[in-house]
Amino acid sequence: VTGIRCAKIIVPLDWDDPTNEQTIELSTLNIPATGDDPIGTLFGNPGGPGASGVEFTLGLTGNPKFAPVHEKYNLLGFDPRGIGRSDALECENDTEIFELQLALCADQDPLALSMGTAQVARDMELMRHLVGDESMHYAGFSYGTVIGATYATLFPEHTGRIMLDSAWPS
């Protein structure tokens, strides 16, 4: 795949607290469409929670069944806050259960308190703006379905085509 661009973008640590000037970095991967006239950027999230969107997006390019979609869309993958190559959540605990790690880390690292779904949706809105698209096109899997639905709720005026593969159990 040619033309791949990687970038780190700076986002507020806490979108809900405009007085907090702390920021974090998110890792992103942008892969141009294979066709000549792309219709936009397709954001993707594999869910988990805790899975890398950068690795997921790169993996899509090797799937022949995904080729018709990649022909029409630029692809944008990102590692959500605290995940993968984005600023990592750093704390000590003895569990590998992601949700429990967050709960145990809340007192040790302020990032743990700002890893909610609405925060990630706001990060995506900034990324949509940065790539210059009028609408957010999105493919979400597993917990990524909740992120996509949250984005559509917060930013209906910028919601484009969204594919949510499964419901997240409550």
Side-chain angles (χ1 to χ4, degrees), residues 49-121:
S52 169
V54 168
E55 291 177 17
F56 169 74
T57 300
L58 191 56
L60 288 175
T61 64
N63 183 340
K65 292 181 180 180
F66 192 75
V69 174
H70 189 197
E71 181 180 348
K72 296 289 185 187
Y73 287 96
N74 300 313
L75 306 179
L76 192 136
F78 67 98
D79 287 350
R81 37 183 66 225
I83 306 300
R85 292 171 189 86
S86 291
D87 278 352
L89 182 63
E90 295 181 22
C91 60
E92 302 281 330
N93 60 56
D94 294 327
T95 181
E96 292 186 21
I97 301 169
F98 182 74
E99 293 85 351
L100 186 54
Q101 286 176 1
L102 284 179
L104 295 172
C105 290
D107 291 333
Q108 298 175 38
D109 187 335
L111 177 57
L113 297 174
S114 69
M115 289 183 64
T117 306
Q119 297 279 346
V120 175

